[in-house]
Amino acid sequence: MPNATYRHTVGSRTYGFRDLKDLLAKATPLRSGDVLAGVAAHSAEERVVAQMVLAALPLPTFLNEALVPYEDDEVTRLILDSHDAAAFAPIRHLTVGDFRNWLLGDAVDSATLAAIAPGITPEMAAAVSKIMRNQDLILVAKKCRVVTAFRSTIGLAGRMATRLQPNHPTDDTTGIAASLLDGLLYGSGDAVIGINPATDNVAQVARLVHMMDDIIRHYAIPTQSCVLTHVTNTLQAIERGAPVDLVFQSIGGTEATNRSFGLNLALLAEARAAALSLQRGTVGDNVMYFETGQGSALSANAHHGMDQQTCETRAYAVARAFKPLLVNTVVGFIGPEYLFDGKQIIRAGLEDHFCAKLLGLPMGCDVCYTNHAEADQNDMDVLLTLLGAAGCSFVMGIPGSDDIMLNYQTTSFHDALYARRVLGLRPAPEFEAWLQRMQIFSEAGADFALHAAVPPAFQKALLQLA
């Protein structure tokens, strides 16, 4: 193996890995997307050997060997140019394996993790995740505390927010309003009321933005709205005077992936500046909402030979640069070509959450799967519960767990209520106070007793929808 940079001998056999990119890929827990890309380990033994070699690697290696050339990729330039050497100094002497042990140690708390976050590159986070068990990912992520705010405060200890997702296949306003009311009556919507539009044009975006703004103002709901359209549509809607709260965009971990989405870093900066200029937040000014997902770079042939989890983690550097209110991985949305079954989806969700929190992001998760994946709602119950235990910032809330517009399975209003009750989690504080004031929840605390009758403030709206 003359081209191998990293080698390790087991018995009479020597394994070689040609570069850091190959080593990271071979060390990744098995998933269908890496097999499809031809970068996965060829056997369980090769995977374990790669993990052993990776564990012995000094952390500064990731500053000296770029996975995508600096001159070819603006995400690489962002990662290296924004690296905080002072924040990195306390862990600079560690190997990847030492870093894992350090993260799991009792001496490392939320304040310590927040202080080092600017010194951790995505590749470091991805590397350490590859040698961690699921319980390790959960334990460390729970210690990470990332708080953001707009009209509600997201990420506080002991709380888990929800995105109320009232999608409709024809953008019918009555159907959207019915789903929205249903979600509010189950305590959903403190992260954002976010609609994926069926008709993706500026006029429709503006109409939906105005509709949500009217509802939020009428009921004085301490939350924010977002239409999940392309960033250029949102910019045009702002120019036309639409009351935009959050700017949404799907992002990836390479310049080529983002180019396939029709964006670059300069465009995201322009959109953030436009949203900030509206000054619509009341308790904070985090105005961006990003979604990611393992496999998006590979599906665009823009992965540069990286494994999909490392490429996904690089997207978090893009998100981090724009101080978002919300980020979430749509973990099982792309399909079984990338995450084959429930086991792979669960692992990927925990990895994504851990890596993003370690990098300082307010990370949530769309706990989801497509109907042709080898997964079911029981798998999603497991992932939802694990993420709740891990301190996940927010999850989705959709009627009956079934998105009738995007045609995939996710978490329902009932699922979020279950997670809050079982794990003793509460909504965002501003939203919780509103739920009690509107007589949706009868008292504070983890039990969230729902009123038996429709609260008076919503009775007229319910009759109009009937």
Side-chain angles (χ1 to χ4, degrees):
M1 53 195 72
N3 296 323
T5 301
Y6 303 97
R7 292 181 173 84
H8 188 82
T9 300
V10 179
S12 60
R13 181 170 184 180
T14 298
Y15 288 88
F17 308 96
R18 64 178 180 273
D19 52 23
L20 184 56
K21 187 189 306 183
D22 185 44
L23 178 63
L24 287 165
K26 297 296 194 297
T28 305
L30 178 64
R31 63 208 58 200
S32 52
D34 291 340
V35 175
L36 178 66
V39 301
H42 296 96
S43 66
E45 183 175 275
E46 184 181 30
R47 183 172 299 109
V48 170
V49 170
Q51 290 170 344
M52 292 169 63
V53 175
L54 185 61
L57 210 63
L59 288 179
T61 305
F62 298 95
L63 299 173
N64 300 324
E65 187 175 344
L67 303 187
V68 185
Y70 181 92
E71 60 275 11
D72 296 341
D73 186 84
E74 69 172 357
V75 177
T76 298
R77 293 194 290 274
L78 172 67
I79 291 168
L80 295 177
D81 292 349
S82 63
H83 181 254
D84 189 327
F88 183 55
I91 59 172
R92 183 180 180 85
H93 62 288
L94 299 177
T95 65
V96 173
D98 294 332
F99 187 34
R100 171 190 175 273
N101 296 338
W102 183 84
L103 289 169
L104 291 168
D106 290 340
V108 174
D109 57 14
S110 297
T112 306
L113 291 170
I116 68 162
I120 302 172
T121 68
E123 293 84 354
M124 293 175 196
V128 73
S129 76
K130 296 176 192 298
I131 62 168
M132 298 174 84
R133 289 172 57 184
N134 287 358
Q135 65 173 252
D136 300 337
L137 300 174
I138 293 167
L139 180 60
V140 176
K142 186 174 180 63
K143 294 196 288 185
C144 296
R145 185 61 51 207
V146 183
V147 179
T148 56
F150 189 76
R151 292 195 195 100
S152 58
T153 305
I154 309 300
L156 293 169
R159 298 183 183 271
M160 183 177 71
T162 57
R163 169 187 161 192
L164 205 174
Q165 189 169 320
N167 293 344
H168 192 277
T170 64
D171 287 340
D172 177 73
T173 54
T174 301
I176 291 172
S179 294
L180 202 159
L181 176 61
D182 189 21
L184 291 174
L185 292 177
Y186 280 99
S188 187
D190 46 342
V192 64
I193 300 172
I195 298 174
N196 298 88
T199 306
D200 197 11
N201 59 57
V202 178
Q204 182 71 340
V205 168
R207 186 172 73 91
L208 293 174
V209 167
H210 279 287
M211 174 193 174
M212 288 188 288
D213 183 59
D214 289 344
I215 293 171
I216 288 171
R217 287 190 296 106
H218 179 77
Y219 293 105
I221 308 171
T223 190
Q224 35 283 329
S225 72
C226 184
V227 176
L228 281 71
T229 186
H230 192 269
V231 63
T232 53
N233 287 340
T234 305
L235 273 169
Q236 291 183 59
I238 291 173
E239 291 170 358
R240 296 183 186 185
V244 170
D245 290 339
L246 304 184
V247 175
F248 169 81
Q249 184 56 51
S250 295
I251 56 173
T254 67
E255 181 179 339
T257 307
N258 289 326
R259 190 184 308 120
S260 76
F261 291 152
L263 67 117
N264 55 34
L265 300 182
L267 181 59
L268 293 178
E270 179 186 353
R272 179 172 181 265
L276 284 171
S277 71
L278 301 181
Q279 298 182 326
R280 293 178 55 79
T282 56
V283 296
D285 63 356
N286 299 111
V287 295
M288 304 299 285
Y289 174 18
F290 296 118
E291 284 189 346
T292 67
Q294 290 192 28
S296 59
L298 175 58
S299 67
N301 195 28
H303 61 298
H304 293 273
M306 284 183 283
D307 68 271
Q308 65 184 38
Q309 190 252 338
T310 299
C311 208
E312 162 74 4
T313 307
R314 283 169 53 97
Y316 305 155
V318 176
R320 183 168 62 174
F322 298 100
K323 300 178 174 58
L325 177 73
L326 306 168
V327 183
N328 72 267
T329 169
V330 193
V331 64
F333 182 74
I334 302 183
E337 300 83 1
Y338 304 95
L339 296 168
F340 180 72
D341 57 15
K343 182 176 181 179
Q344 292 187 12
I345 292 171
I346 289 167
R347 173 70 190 189
L350 294 177
E351 288 171 346
D352 294 351
H353 179 253
F354 161 83
C355 288
K357 281 291 185 66
L358 195 61
L359 292 167
L361 286 177
M363 193 65 171
C365 183
D366 190 343
V367 179
C368 64
Y369 64 101
T370 57
N371 288 310
H372 62 310
E374 292 295 320
D376 59 27
Q377 212 64 40
N378 287 323
D379 295 311
M380 300 306 102
D381 288 348
V382 171
L383 180 54
L384 172 62
T385 306
L386 295 176
L387 286 169
C392 188
S393 293
F394 71 105
V395 295
M396 306 299 127
I398 295 179
S401 308
D402 182 12
D403 192 311
I404 59 174
M405 197 280 281
L406 293 175
N407 195 30
Y408 77 115
Q409 310 305 310
T410 179
T411 46
S412 70
F413 307 136
H414 300 76
D415 295 335
L417 194 60
Y418 143 79
R420 284 170 170 168
R421 284 174 166 169
V422 167
L423 299 170
L425 301 170
R426 298 159 61 184
E430 302 87 352
F431 195 76
E432 181 183 17
W434 178 83
L435 291 170
Q436 295 173 54
R437 188 166 62 250
M438 299 297 288
Q439 300 180 43
I440 295 172
F441 288 169
S442 62
E443 60 185 28
D447 287 340
F448 302 128
L450 297 174
H451 279 276
V454 176
F458 292 97
Q459 289 177 3
K460 181 179 179 181
L462 190 64
L463 289 172
Q464 291 174 338
L465 292 169

